[in-house]
Amino acid sequence: MQNISLRANAKLNLFLKINGITNFGYHDMTMINQSISLYDDIKIKKMIIKV
């Protein structure tokens, strides 16, 4: 496959609370999201570069 076309759906954060940091260094979060009818078109093209 040389080309891939995808649609990345948008979401709206209705609630976001950062509770702290985990032992692995990530943020522990509580959130409520709502999907909406907006999206990004993503197109990926495979390129072969010969050196």
Side-chain angles (χ1 to χ4, degrees), residues 22-40:
T22 67
N23 293 333
F24 298 107
Y26 294 101
H27 288 94
D28 178 31
M29 296 185 283
T30 303
M31 59 183 133
I32 299 172
N33 298 322
Q34 174 64 50
S35 59
I36 57 177
S37 61
L38 297 176
Y39 58 87
D40 288 323

Side-chain angles (χ1 to χ4, degrees), residues 2-25:
Q2 297 295 323
N3 298 315
I4 299 173
S5 294
L6 302 170
R7 219 174 238 188
N9 295 325
K11 65 180 181 189
L12 182 65
N13 290 323
L14 301 174
F15 176 82
L16 175 63
K17 179 184 176 191
I18 299 174
N19 302 315
I21 305 237
T22 67
N23 293 333
F24 298 107

